[in-house]
Amino acid sequence: MKRLLSVVIALCTALAVADEGNGLNSSWSEGWRVRVGPQFNFGAKGRLGVKPGAIRLPPASSSSSRAAAQAADDAITSSSGKMSFPNGAFIDPVDAAGQEGSTWNWYIPAGQQAGGTMSFSSPYSEHSTAYAAHGVFDRDDAFSTGASFGLDRAVWAWGDFGVDVGFDFSFFLRNNWFKGTGGGCTRTDVSSEGAYVTDVDFGNAGVFGDPWAQNADGSYGAGTYDGPGPVLSLGGVGGARTTHRLEGGAERRSVSSAGAVSLRGDLQMYEFQLALKPYYAVTDWFALRGTLGVGLDHRRFDVRASGLGTSSEHDWNCYMVCGLGGMFRWERFCLGADFLRKVFDHDMDVDTKYVRGSVGNANWMMRVYVGYDF
């Protein structure tokens, strides 16, 4: 800020003494130049992202039959009374023989056992989807083209050297200056498949190995209270031992990005610059020109987030400007170009309802103009 103040004082001093001393232009009716032309700004960069809290997340979802499968499996268990199984098999310790520890009142359908063991499977498949918002930042940089208007005043000349004081006004209107994607969410899918299995061991391998114990249709056991039929030893507890186990069930997790938000930003900028412009006339028709001064920008940034809305940010920026250029002259007309650099400027912070980040200033400028002296 002290540097800017020093430059402003120097400019004001030059204007104040413009009527005094040898070599100074004391005539306010001459020594003016008006300029107009395009200006190109380079180096402006945007870095933007959607605030996580602004992202509308899809609802989490889940589907599961695991608990039901486990409950069905747990229901198959040993009992001191009659045991009934899902495949139609049963064991009833009560029969007409009335011999404790054995019964002919049992039945296993054909093809439902192997070596005296039956297995029951309760399969399941479950899936869940969850979303988590994240603030991903994207970057974009683009030059902007605008129009520039200038007014110079010749304040001092000595031979081929001289100094002008110039005022410049420029404006830039660039739609879709920023294009990018910001924010979104992470989608996590978790799935698993498996089965709860119950093994029923009758512990009577000899019965199932005897072909005379098998019925004509391939089933086993009389299956009636009155019998008679092959006798099954109850083994002390219901006639069978049940064990449970889990097959499969490993989780598969998949993480992917989803819900990306498209960002589009429009940039408006208005520049005001006041500068000393020393020059050296190389020939009668060409001069090298320098620039040293101060500038003031007003920037407005409108950003659109798809599905969310539009919001705006604006600020003022004060800086120093310096540069070098050249100018061709023909009678009262001129054609020139200046290459300028902004110093001590700052980026514009963007903190709107939906979006946050920054918009960098265009540090480099090229100004092309045509002018007329009067």
Side-chain angles (χ1 to χ4, degrees):
M1 186 58 70
K2 292 181 179 179
R3 293 187 181 93
L4 294 178
L5 183 60
S6 298
V7 174
V8 172
I9 293 174
L11 292 174
C12 294
T13 302
L15 292 175
V17 302
D19 290 331
E20 300 179 8
N22 188 29
L24 298 177
N25 181 13
S26 60
S27 175
W28 289 96
S29 61
E30 60 183 23
W32 297 92
R33 178 183 301 114
V34 63
R35 295 175 286 103
V36 64
Q39 180 171 313
F40 308 93
N41 285 2
F42 303 91
K45 297 181 179 181
R47 181 179 181 272
L48 299 173
V50 177
K51 294 180 178 179
I55 298 174
R56 301 166 185 170
L57 296 177
S61 62
S62 63
S63 61
S64 175
S65 59
R66 182 166 182 166
Q70 185 175 11
D73 185 74
D74 290 342
I76 304 171
T77 185
S78 298
S79 172
S80 59
K82 181 179 179 179
M83 291 184 63
S84 297
F85 302 100
N87 63 353
F90 68 87
I91 303 173
D92 191 341
V94 180
D95 65 347
Q99 296 181 1
E100 186 176 354
S102 65
T103 183
W104 59 42
N105 190 6
W106 63 280
Y107 177 76
I108 298 178
Q112 298 296 310
Q113 66 84 32
T117 301
M118 292 188 304
S119 294
F120 301 95
S121 178
S122 301
Y124 70 87
S125 175
E126 63 180 0
H127 178 82
S128 64
T129 300
Y131 300 86
H134 55 76
V136 175
F137 286 83
D138 203 353
R139 299 175 184 270
D140 192 18
D141 55 356
F143 75 94
S144 54
T145 304
S148 177
F149 304 89
L151 181 65
D152 293 343
R153 160 76 170 157
V155 296
W156 181 82
W158 186 66
D160 294 332
F161 295 91
V163 177
D164 295 342
V165 172
F167 172 78
D168 289 273
F169 167 72
S170 308
F171 66 88
F172 307 86
L173 307 175
R174 178 72 182 270
N175 292 333
N176 290 327
W177 174 82
F178 184 94
K179 296 179 181 179
T181 301
C185 59
T186 297
R187 172 174 173 164
T188 301
D189 292 286
V190 180
S191 61
S192 66
E193 293 180 355
Y196 285 97
V197 180
T198 296
D199 297 315
V200 181
D201 184 3
F202 289 90
N204 289 265
V207 174
F208 297 100
D210 184 355
W212 295 102
Q214 188 174 21
N215 299 321
D217 62 356
S219 62
Y220 287 86
T224 64
Y225 172 80
D226 297 326
V231 176
L232 184 70
S233 174
L234 298 177
V237 183
R241 181 173 63 88
T242 58
T243 57
H244 305 282
R245 55 190 170 90
L246 174 64
E247 290 184 347
E251 284 189 352
R252 297 186 299 275
R253 183 178 297 268
S254 174
V255 180
S256 59
S257 295
V261 179
S262 173
L263 296 176
R264 295 293 183 267
D266 303 335
L267 181 63
Q268 302 177 27
M269 185 164 60
Y270 303 89
E271 294 181 344
F272 307 88
Q273 295 176 359
L274 182 64
L276 291 174
K277 299 186 177 184
Y279 65 85
Y280 170 66
V282 181
T283 67
D284 293 340
W285 48 270
F286 179 73
L288 291 174
R289 289 165 54 89
T291 299
L292 179 63
V294 295
L296 183 66
D297 292 349
H298 179 262
R299 294 172 291 182
R300 177 186 173 93
F301 185 66
D302 299 322
V303 58
R304 299 180 300 279
S306 60
L308 296 176
T310 301
S311 49
S312 300
E313 192 71 81
H314 63 88
D315 80 340
W316 290 90
N317 175 41
C318 189
Y319 55 90
M320 289 183 63
V321 60
C322 56
L324 184 66
M327 184 177 69
F328 296 91
R329 298 188 61 182
W330 179 71
E331 295 183 353
R332 288 182 175 271
F333 296 94
C334 65
L335 173 66
D338 293 327
F339 297 91
L340 306 173
R341 176 74 163 93
K342 293 180 180 179
V343 185
F344 307 120
D345 59 341
H346 70 272
D347 295 346
M348 178 174 67
D349 293 329
V350 178
D351 189 5
T352 68
K353 182 177 180 181
Y354 307 112
V355 179
R356 64 180 177 181
S358 63
V359 173
N361 206 358
N363 295 324
W364 294 94
M365 299 171 288
M366 183 178 72
R367 181 182 297 148
V368 180
Y369 58 86
V370 294
Y372 179 77
D373 295 347
F374 62 94

